[in-house]
Amino acid sequence: MTFPARLVGAALVGTLAAGGSAAAAATAASAQAEPCVERITVVNNAAFVMSFSVAASNGLETSNTDTYPINQSRTIDLTTTALPVGADVRPVVDAVAGAQGTPSSFVSYCQNGQSATYSVTGTTYNYSVTLIG
């Protein structure tokens, strides 16, 4: 995961000014993905029926939702899963009779009532999963 240089640089300057190390500053700057959310919603704007699960960067994964067609969405409330608070998470989309896909962007799991929404577009073997809000 990469961050804009100005963000990492600002964290580094602040930590060094406080007497910390450059390694500690880099770790603090990359500690969690943004935004921090409690629920993951995936909107099916693709030309296939799909389901999804939520996977954490540490390898843990939830069960899949039920399958659903275009112009519908499903939400996984992370508080009902075994995923740890603070984990970086993202949806894993399964196209029925097609490929599995994930977005490049993670979000962090926080118990704050917020949601992240991803949109799926494309066809069964050629689609994208995009964080939209």
Side-chain angles (χ1 to χ4, degrees):
M1 165 163 284
T2 60
F3 287 86
R6 66 182 179 278
L7 175 62
V8 173
L12 179 60
V13 170
T15 300
L16 292 176
S21 71
T27 300
S30 63
Q32 283 189 319
E34 291 293 330
C36 202
V37 300
E38 188 171 304
R39 292 179 296 276
I40 304 285
T41 298
V42 178
V43 180
N44 185 354
N45 292 313
F48 53 83
V49 174
M50 59 165 276
S51 65
F52 79 96
S53 62
V54 175
S57 59
N58 65 6
L60 293 177
E61 190 168 340
T62 68
S63 298
N64 273 21
T65 64
D66 63 321
T67 57
Y68 58 104
I70 190 169
N71 295 328
Q72 290 190 15
S73 66
R74 297 292 186 269
T75 300
I76 293 180
D77 182 342
L78 300 175
T79 63
T80 65
T81 71
L83 299 177
V85 171
D88 288 345
V89 296
R90 65 181 174 181
V92 177
V93 173
D94 285 308
V96 172
Q100 187 177 73
T102 58
S104 60
S105 54
F106 284 87
V107 296
S108 288
Y109 168 27
C110 296
Q111 292 180 335
N112 62 3
Q114 302 297 310
S115 294
T117 302
Y118 290 83
S119 175
V120 180
T121 55
T123 59
T124 53
Y125 288 101
N126 184 22
Y127 64 92
S128 62
V129 183
T130 307
L131 178 62
I132 59 173

